Amino acid sequence: MKKTLLLLLITALGVVSCDDFLNTEPINKISIKQYYTDEAGLTQALAGVYDQLGSDALYGNGMFLRYNGCTDEGYYARSTVSTGVFVNNFDPTNSDINSLWQSCYLGINRANDLIANVDLPVMDENKRKIILGEAIFLRGYYYFLLVSHFENIPLILTPTTSPNDVYVAQTPMKDVYRQILKDMTDAEEKVSTSTEFGYSSRVSKTVVQGILARVCLQMSGYPMNDATKFADALSWAKKVQTSGEHGLRTTYNSSLTNSAYSQIFINHAQDVYDIKESMWEIDFLGNRSDGNLETGRVGNTNGITMTSAALTQTLGYSYGFIKGTARLYKGYKTGDLRRDWVLTPFTYNNATGAKVPITITTGYGRDCAKWRREFELSSPKNKNHGPINFPVLRYADVLLMIAEAENQVNGPTTIAYDALNQVRRRGFGLNIATASVVADAAAGLSKADFQLAVENERMLELCFEGTRHLDLIRWNKYVSTMNSVGNEIATNGGAQAYGGLGGKNVTARHLVYPIPAKERSVNKKLDQNKDW
């Protein structure tokens, strides 16, 4: 969480700045009471709540590499790996599952501390309200990550101040979701607008609304199956739309790329904020040799393979751990500009750095190429860490949520078609306001067929952005889809046939993660999830 954290501190100290603000480590004070004596202490506490989102377990690496690295979009590209979350072969002792749990609860406890002490400092009341709103939202978001992966979990709403506080029984999933909705709804009334912020790393009113739509859609499907939440999702997503603060990016720098879509991800690499399209980003900064340790591994573990030490400074080192499926590749129709940005159309010559075109058309063997380290501006480039931001919520996602929820509530109306087709047209590089025979979804689709069109479009537009795993679960298609794509890769993948292992390993128990064994060894009140 790079620029966010220092901007919070700078704002508290009355220094005006919006760009290139760096991270600072929390300042240790003698006690909690003394820590919260002034606005600077409170804003540093908020920085700490945000900071956990950028941890390796969450958006620093885990969300796109481990927990979403094996879906129908992509697979873990190492033939020798046969165990772990990467290939859906793990148990409750798995360290990655434990890290997800611990990282979220660390963020929650930091939020609880801030909320409990928010009234201590003497400060501007409007600033206090905004900080409180962000902290409440972030607590709800950490809980959303937990409940959507683990289901019944301990619900802790006060600071942990004693070792005895860790002995907390699980709260039923529906009650956790109820608290999430309460937190986020309360936050929506308190936080600032994205226009007032001018950047995407702090949570704004429309971000809260967009995430509320996401939460409601998750509740509408498996395992909650609360169909009433479709209407709520539609309402929240439409609030984002009618705010007028957001829209699809339709311009690009022709010296760098050939589409507005690819410009989004170049911007992530170059610290260019686009609050209209990229609504909420996890910020990363620097190269770890410039005094800033708030780096991530976006583009390093999930980028185009480039392992030449001599070319690290120009092209950026990347392991290419994630390759796309042929199903994703073939999902893009002729003329869709997204395909050759999402999936690399070339390999690097490790001696010269030349881009060697990939000529095979089966779709197998292409790396995830959404975030390309060659566009990083930091120098020198770090081998394993970088400054590329990761998007949690884009406006394209909001439009697709409108399309899905509108279809579920009212059928495939003009509103649903318009939301879906705007995204599709942009993918083809066309005017998003003009009907297109090439890009638009077929007219006259049934409700069921329109839903399938939305599901497919979410893959094409949002692939590798950490949404697919939970999407497939809420649609109750995770097991069947993963088994299908796993067998497909194993049968047709040739040299990439090993990539089918993760999909073939999936069974019904993988619909929920196990409660970490380490947690259960400490908290005897925790019950293990079914089949684990």
Side-chain angles (χ1 to χ4, degrees), residues 421-493:
N421 286 334
Q422 283 188 57
V423 176
R424 292 169 67 105
R425 291 166 192 162
R426 199 265 300 272
F428 281 79
L430 303 173
N431 187 322
I432 64 173
T434 303
S436 168
V437 174
V438 174
D440 288 1
L445 292 176
S446 66
K447 180 178 179 180
D449 286 341
F450 190 88
Q451 172 66 24
L452 291 177
V454 171
E455 292 177 12
N456 184 64
E457 196 62 28
R458 288 189 65 82
M459 177 173 70
L460 303 181
E461 176 70 21
L462 303 174
C463 56
F464 308 122
E465 294 182 40
T467 62
R468 193 63 174 179
H469 177 235
L470 293 182
D471 274 350
L472 289 173
I473 287 176
R474 70 182 176 86
W475 294 327
N476 205 15
K477 295 183 175 182
Y478 182 67
V479 177
S480 60
T481 298
M482 292 305 300
N483 289 167
S484 173
V485 75
N487 288 320
E488 187 177 288
I489 297 171
T491 302
N492 303 317

Side-chain angles (χ1 to χ4, degrees), residues 255-272:
S255 67
L256 298 177
T257 189
N258 68 343
S259 74
Y261 181 77
S262 52
Q263 187 68 50
I264 296 167
F265 308 100
I266 294 174
N267 288 348
H268 292 157
Q270 299 189 338
D271 285 336
V272 176

Side-chain angles (χ1 to χ4, degrees), residues 2-281:
K2 53 178 180 186
K3 298 175 289 299
T4 297
L5 306 189
L6 189 61
L7 184 63
L8 290 171
L9 179 57
I10 288 173
T11 300
L13 297 176
V15 179
V16 178
S17 176
C18 289
D19 303 310
D20 299 325
F21 43 100
L22 313 179
N23 177 65
T24 57
E25 294 298 323
I27 297 174
N28 292 324
K29 298 195 178 183
I30 296 172
S31 70
I32 288 292
K33 296 296 183 183
Q34 287 179 312
Y35 190 87
Y36 290 103
T37 55
D38 52 28
E39 185 179 331
L42 192 64
T43 53
Q44 287 174 347
L46 179 59
V49 182
Y50 270 103
D51 189 61
Q52 201 56 30
L53 289 169
S55 66
D56 182 78
L58 300 182
Y59 292 102
N61 202 26
M63 280 299 171
F64 53 80
L65 179 69
R66 302 181 187 107
Y67 318 120
N68 281 275
C70 181
T71 66
D72 56 342
E73 299 170 345
Y75 57 91
Y76 192 67
R78 291 296 184 272
S79 61
T80 57
V81 174
S82 59
T83 60
V85 178
F86 307 105
V87 291
N88 290 304
N89 183 17
F90 56 90
D91 63 26
T93 66
N94 181 269
S95 61
D96 292 326
I97 298 299
N98 185 67
S99 294
L100 173 60
W101 178 282
Q102 289 189 335
S103 293
C104 287
Y105 273 111
L106 180 56
I108 288 165
N109 198 53
R110 290 178 180 180
N112 285 338
D113 278 337
L114 188 155
I115 294 166
N117 293 283
V118 70
D119 290 327
L120 291 181
V122 177
M123 61 182 292
D124 179 89
E125 289 302 323
N126 188 57
K127 291 181 180 178
R128 190 198 312 275
K129 180 187 73 171
I130 292 171
I131 290 173
L132 175 60
E134 291 176 67
I136 292 172
F137 169 82
L138 290 170
R139 180 174 70 180
Y141 190 73
Y142 285 122
Y143 271 122
F144 176 58
L145 293 178
L146 284 167
V147 75
S148 56
H149 287 93
F150 295 99
E151 296 187 0
N152 302 328
I153 56 173
L155 183 62
I156 304 168
L157 302 177
T158 57
T160 300
T161 59
S162 163
N164 293 327
D165 291 345
V166 302
Y167 304 119
V168 182
Q170 285 143 296
T171 297
M173 175 174 51
K174 63 180 178 58
D175 294 325
V176 178
Y177 270 114
R178 185 180 297 115
Q179 182 64 42
I180 292 168
L181 294 178
K182 181 182 184 303
D183 276 355
M184 292 187 177
T185 304
D186 288 348
E188 192 256 351
E189 299 176 351
K190 294 178 172 63
V191 298
S192 201
T193 67
S194 60
T195 303
E196 289 172 300
F197 280 150
Y199 49 93
S200 308
S201 52
R202 283 182 73 175
V203 170
S204 67
K205 187 177 294 291
T206 46
V207 167
V208 176
Q209 293 163 350
I211 296 298
L212 272 164
R214 180 179 291 176
V215 170
C216 289
L217 279 181
Q218 201 69 39
M219 294 176 71
S220 71
Y222 181 88
M224 288 286 290
N225 296 316
D226 184 355
T228 67
K229 289 298 183 287
F230 282 119
D232 293 338
L234 181 60
S235 175
W236 287 116
K238 280 188 172 180
K239 285 185 177 183
V240 178
Q241 185 180 48
T242 58
S243 73
E245 294 190 67
H246 304 285
L248 294 180
R249 166 167 281 278
T250 57
T251 59
Y252 59 95
N253 183 341
S254 59
S255 67
L256 298 177
T257 189
N258 68 343
S259 74
Y261 181 77
S262 52
Q263 187 68 50
I264 296 167
F265 308 100
I266 294 174
N267 288 348
H268 292 157
Q270 299 189 338
D271 285 336
V272 176
Y273 284 122
D274 174 13
I275 62 172
K276 292 183 70 67
E277 165 82 38
S278 197
M279 296 170 60
W280 185 22
E281 300 173 10

Side-chain angles (χ1 to χ4, degrees), residues 275-429:
I275 62 172
K276 292 183 70 67
E277 165 82 38
S278 197
M279 296 170 60
W280 185 22
E281 300 173 10
I282 305 303
D283 272 333
F284 299 101
L285 176 68
N287 56 16
R288 300 179 78 84
S289 64
D290 54 5
N292 302 304
L293 301 180
E294 292 296 320
T295 51
R297 303 194 68 178
V298 185
N300 171 254
T301 58
N302 63 337
I304 303 172
T305 303
M306 205 300 296
T307 55
S308 167
L311 298 172
T312 296
Q313 295 307 311
T314 54
L315 299 177
Y317 200 94
S318 179
Y319 294 89
F321 283 144
I322 303 297
K323 291 187 184 295
T325 63
R327 185 173 296 193
L328 173 62
Y329 178 85
K330 294 176 181 178
Y332 294 105
K333 305 305 179 186
T334 302
D336 193 327
L337 300 177
R338 294 173 295 186
R339 187 194 70 184
D340 287 345
W341 183 263
V342 164
L343 299 169
T344 182
F346 61 82
T347 59
Y348 286 118
N349 181 304
N350 265 9
T352 66
K355 296 178 179 179
V356 182
I358 293 175
T359 57
I360 57 173
T361 59
T362 61
Y364 291 102
R366 296 176 186 252
D367 292 335
C368 164
K370 241 176 182 176
W371 297 277
R372 305 184 182 189
R373 297 200 67 191
E374 65 180 282
F375 292 104
E376 290 179 14
L377 300 179
S378 295
S379 181
K381 288 185 174 72
N382 183 284
K383 176 184 176 182
N384 289 330
H385 296 86
I388 301 179
N389 295 354
F390 190 83
V392 181
L393 180 66
R394 293 197 288 114
Y395 186 65
D397 191 354
V398 174
L399 286 176
L400 293 176
M401 288 192 285
I402 289 174
E404 181 174 0
E406 171 72 13
N407 180 54
Q408 291 297 327
V409 175
N410 300 309
T413 64
T414 300
I415 292 172
Y417 265 100
D418 180 64
L420 174 62
N421 286 334
Q422 283 188 57
V423 176
R424 292 169 67 105
R425 291 166 192 162
R426 199 265 300 272
F428 281 79

